[in-house]
Amino acid sequence: MAAAEAPKIRSDEKVALVLGAGGARGLAQIGVIEALQAREMNIVAIAGASSGALVGGLHAAGKLAEYRDWLCSLDRTSMLRLLDPGWGRPALFEGTRLVGALREIAGSPRIEDLPIDFTAVAVDLLRQREVWLREGDLWDAIRASFAIPGVFTPHTVHGRELVDGGLLAPLPIAATRLSDAHRLIAVDMHGWPQRPPGSPADEQADAAPARSWLGHWLHRDDGAHAESSPDAARRHRLGFTELMARSLDTMQAQISRVQLALDPPELVIRIPRDACQFYEFWRAKELIAVGRAEADKALDAAGY
């Protein structure tokens, strides 16, 4: 007997959206939301972790278009100027300057006043559990949700020091179940790569100057910028930045698979895991286009 088809999502149905963690790759979720809006999907609830919380919170506040336009205007230098070093703190950056710039774009709304139900997911390391932030200052919640250990300092909310939600819930499906949405769409940030691992194109991308540039700027590149031969590039491929990013990505990919298996949504939109390096936020325009294309592909295949 043929398997029954999954129920189709009508454009007038209430939809909950789950936005995953993925560093700069999370910017592709702006394109996903634009694709859903183009098909008049009625998004009534959003849950996000890390960069997914950032994109989801801005959409819930009705400021995603302003954020997109601002983001696309930034180059690498402008992006670096938003990062304030965390001198004497247990991370590279404070994040205060970045959040200040975001407040200028979206104001300082409270989560409970947003027109779309919103949940930012963070992690309480002391208690080793997820924290669902559903009320209070929007930027306090988002700042806690993207506090990647070692990159951004922990953020205190309601008396608890919180870090990146992607540590325990890179795809926070359960957090959407509090809404009255009829259907669930999840954006998984760990889709199949655009290039086969080990292909010449993959080797070239891994040795891209942007990676060495960032490592040099952080003074943690393990000498990768000192040698330029292909053999040297392969030997020094995993500097501090890449080692941390790939370790976190590997963990999040595995947890996301478990979350999707335990609580499958009606539709999964997958962003290729090699779309960019986790810190390449200056590639926003390209990543938004990737998100829109992947969303359209998934929606077309599902018949929406």
Side-chain angles (χ1 to χ4, degrees), residues 21-27 50-51 67 71 74-83 92-93 98 148 151-152 204-218 220-221 224 236-246 248-249 273-284 287:
R25 198 160 69 244
L27 299 183
S50 197
S51 54
Y67 173 63
L71 196 62
L74 299 178
D75 56 17
R76 295 185 192 183
T77 302
S78 302
M79 188 67 68
L80 280 177
R81 287 174 180 159
L82 294 171
L83 300 176
L92 293 171
F93 307 114
L98 174 59
I148 303 172
V151 178
F152 288 106
Q204 183 177 2
D206 279 347
R211 187 203 60 198
S212 296
W213 165 83
L214 182 68
H216 177 65
W217 185 79
L218 293 174
R220 304 283 182 85
D221 198 35
H236 296 293
R237 173 179 295 168
L238 293 182
F240 168 79
T241 311
E242 286 68 47
L243 180 62
M244 182 186 67
R246 294 194 185 197
L248 186 62
D249 212 42
R273 60 176 176 263
D274 63 346
C276 69
Q277 300 281 359
F278 90 99
Y279 49 77
E280 293 182 314
F281 285 88
W282 54 84
R283 293 175 59 189
L287 291 166

Side-chain angles (χ1 to χ4, degrees), residues 115-160:
I116 295 176
D117 183 74
F118 174 67
T119 305
V121 179
V123 168
D124 183 333
L125 282 180
L126 183 63
R127 297 173 176 82
Q128 298 185 331
R129 64 182 62 177
E130 290 178 45
V131 177
W132 295 356
L133 300 169
R134 296 178 48 80
E135 59 182 23
D137 181 76
L138 174 65
W139 293 112
D140 274 343
I142 291 175
R143 172 63 181 83
S145 188
F146 71 62
I148 303 172
V151 178
F152 288 106
T153 57
H155 193 65
T156 302
V157 181
H158 306 316
R160 292 181 289 186

Side-chain angles (χ1 to χ4, degrees), residues 12-30:
D12 60 338
E13 283 189 291
K14 294 180 179 180
V15 171
L17 186 60
V18 182
L19 300 180
R25 198 160 69 244
L27 299 183
Q29 296 175 122
I30 298 174

